[in-house]
Each structure stands twice: as structure tokens, then as C-alpha cells.
Amino acid sequence: MRIPFIAGNWKMNMTHIQAVSFMQDLGYKFKNKNDCEIAVCPPATALKSVKTIIDGDGMDIKLGAQNMYFEFSGAFTGEISPEMLKALDVEYVIIGHSERRQYFYETNEIVNKKINAAFKIGLKPIMCIGESLDIREKGNAEEFVINQLTECLSEVDDEDIRCLTIAYEPIWAIGTGRNATPEDANNMCNAIRSRIKELYGKKNSEELRILYGGSVKPSNISELMNMSDIDGALVGGASLKVDDFLAIINY
Ligand code: 13P
């Protein structure tokens, strides 16, 4: 019922020239498969070039951005507005990644403003939530993540929720090579879905896609995708190598 979704988060990697070369290589090897939705999220400076290759090669790959500001225009030097992404034909936007929370002090309140701004202009947010190692070891992971979820979804209505994707990314699993066990990841995704059911009803909770992110690689994607509440993956490091990304897509 839920179409699997695999998105590559390139983070701050690749110039637009390197991105073009990556996409050409991917396009050469990629077979369109309708049973899984695929997206790439390059840095803002490469969005246009990547989109040109996707369109030119007729690749069934969606374009996502990694961040945006919540205001629509004005004196916010260095920021990128929702409208600017929309004008580039961006479909998805990652919001609230733990690296943005950690290094750029994004709070749940800021994430919430960005989520609502994305909905307002018709961008589909991939909203990231997840706990630190310290919180997990104290046994408070679920409470923490559910609180993040609730605060970040303030004022999001039933209509909006249908365009939301959630990525559960435990911080201790990001870039460390240490992924969560499929069971632990699934338990958290299940808790997230239960909270969505309380807030938005059964149908919306059953339709919402929840991705897992954190050291996803060709060797662990299948077992993650076999879990009942994991609908896909947000892939960092392994999305930067064409062959690894393809292996993940073809899990
Ligand atoms: P890694 O796959 O490199 O652990 O990164 C995960 C991530 O942060 C995706 O957003």
C-alpha cells in the first residue's frame, strides 16, 4: 500500500560539475522501476544541473533539497526561500536534519515553521527526527522522538500530513557505520506511526511513509526494508557512490 521511498542525501558534497558527472553515470546504469520512488537531494548549488540531467535522460528520479528558510522573501542574507526551490522544480525538501539541529541550532520550533512553509508552497517535506546516544542509553529515546514529532507538527493539518514523509535518523547511527538494528528502528517507526494515528487518524497513519536513516548500505538495506513500519531509507554516505546507491535502490 505504501510505495517504498529511497532518497539520497548528498549533504555538503559535490560541486555542480561533479554532480553532473555523477548523474550521467547513474543515468547510464539506472533502470526505471515503478515499485520504488527514488530521490536525490544535492546541495542547493547543484539542484539546477541535476534537474537538467534527470529531465534530459528521462530518469524516474525526484529532486529534493536539503534545507530552506521559512520566510518567503526579504532581508535574510544567504538563505534560500521555499519559492526559490519550487521554481527549480524541486519536489522534496529535507527539514530538520540532525546536522542542522546540531551545527545550526535548529529547534523544533524552527523546524515546525519550515514544515508549514513547505506545505504552503506545495513542497513535500522529509522531516527528520531522532535521538542522541546519550538519550538512548538513558532509555528515553521514544519519549524524546515522540516529543520532537509532536512539536514539529504543530499546526499541520490533515490535508498537509498526506504530503509528509518522516525520516527516523538516530544521531548515533549517522556516518558512524553503526546502524540501528532493524528491530529497534522498526519499533521506533511503529511508535511514530501510532502517534500519527492519535493526531491524524488511522487512514493517514497507514498511508504515511516513514524512512530509516543512519549508516544504510547495500549490505543492510534488505533487512531494514523487510520490517513492517520502515517504508524506505534516507541514505547519506552510500548515496555518493553510484554503484552503492544503485545496489540500495535495487535491494
Ligand atoms: P549516513 O548514511 O552517512 O549515515 O547518513 C545518514 C543521514 O544523515 C541521511 O540523512
Side-chain angles (χ1 to χ4, degrees):
M1 184 184 57
R2 297 186 292 266
I3 297 167
F5 183 25
I6 292 180
N9 173 10
W10 295 5
K11 308 193 179 183
M12 198 175 73
N13 293 292
M14 292 208 249
T15 64
H16 74 288
I17 296 166
Q18 291 165 331
V20 164
S21 151
F22 177 95
M23 290 306 293
Q24 283 169 336
D25 193 16
L26 184 66
Y28 181 67
K29 298 171 177 168
F30 177 74
K31 308 249 181 315
N32 282 351
K33 285 175 68 198
N34 296 327
D35 50 358
C36 185
E37 190 174 350
I38 314 293
V40 289
C41 305
T45 47
L47 285 167
K48 173 87 176 147
S49 312
V50 167
K51 181 67 179 157
T52 304
I53 307 284
I54 289 174
D55 289 348
D57 286 1
M59 294 160 80
D60 192 7
I61 293 186
K62 308 287 177 57
L63 185 65
Q66 297 175 16
N67 180 38
M68 58 166 220
Y69 197 45
F70 53 76
E71 295 288 355
F72 282 77
S73 64
F76 304 102
T77 302
E79 291 297 322
I80 293 172
S81 78
E83 200 174 16
M84 291 168 188
L85 295 182
K86 193 76 187 159
L88 286 175
D89 262 342
V90 168
E91 182 168 341
Y92 288 97
V93 57
I94 299 171
I95 303 278
H97 193 281
S98 63
E99 286 147 17
R100 297 220 50 91
R101 294 175 187 262
Q102 186 179 350
Y103 304 127
F104 305 99
Y105 313 108
E106 284 193 14
T107 59
N108 289 340
E109 191 185 349
I110 293 172
V111 172
N112 175 249
K113 284 187 182 175
K114 292 186 173 189
I115 292 286
N116 282 305
F119 286 134
K120 204 166 174 185
I121 200 143
L123 288 164
K124 299 177 184 166
I126 301 173
M127 187 179 90
C128 300
I129 49 181
E131 81 286 357
S132 64
L133 186 57
D134 188 42
I135 292 169
R136 173 147 291 252
E137 285 177 344
K138 285 190 179 127
N140 300 332
E142 187 173 314
E143 185 191 347
F144 179 85
V145 168
I146 297 304
N147 181 60
Q148 270 188 328
L149 175 71
T150 309
E151 290 191 5
C152 293
L153 290 181
S154 175
E155 289 175 37
V156 169
D157 64 24
D158 280 27
E159 199 64 40
D160 295 332
I161 203 77
R162 296 193 192 111
C163 297
L164 180 74
T165 301
I166 292 176
Y168 167 56
E169 298 206 314
I171 297 169
W172 47 271
I174 296 177
T176 58
R178 176 184 167 188
N179 63 295
T181 66
E183 291 75 20
D184 282 348
N186 194 55
N187 286 343
M188 188 64 85
C189 293
N190 183 269
I192 291 167
R193 199 177 302 287
S194 301
R195 181 66 180 138
I196 293 291
K197 187 177 171 189
E198 285 170 8
L199 294 171
Y200 299 98
K202 186 164 184 289
K203 186 165 185 290
N204 284 326
S205 77
E206 285 172 353
E207 286 175 359
L208 176 91
R209 289 190 295 193
I210 306 176
L211 316 182
Y212 166 77
S215 298
V216 173
K217 38 194 177 240
S219 60
N220 60 23
I221 184 70
S222 299
E223 52 181 7
L224 288 162
M225 295 304 284
N226 275 336
M227 304 310 290
S228 59
D229 282 291
I230 299 177
D231 305 311
L234 187 54
V235 187
S239 74
L240 295 171
K241 296 188 191 118
V242 169
D243 291 336
D244 282 359
F245 191 51
L246 281 169
I248 291 172
I249 293 168
N250 297 322
Y251 67 92

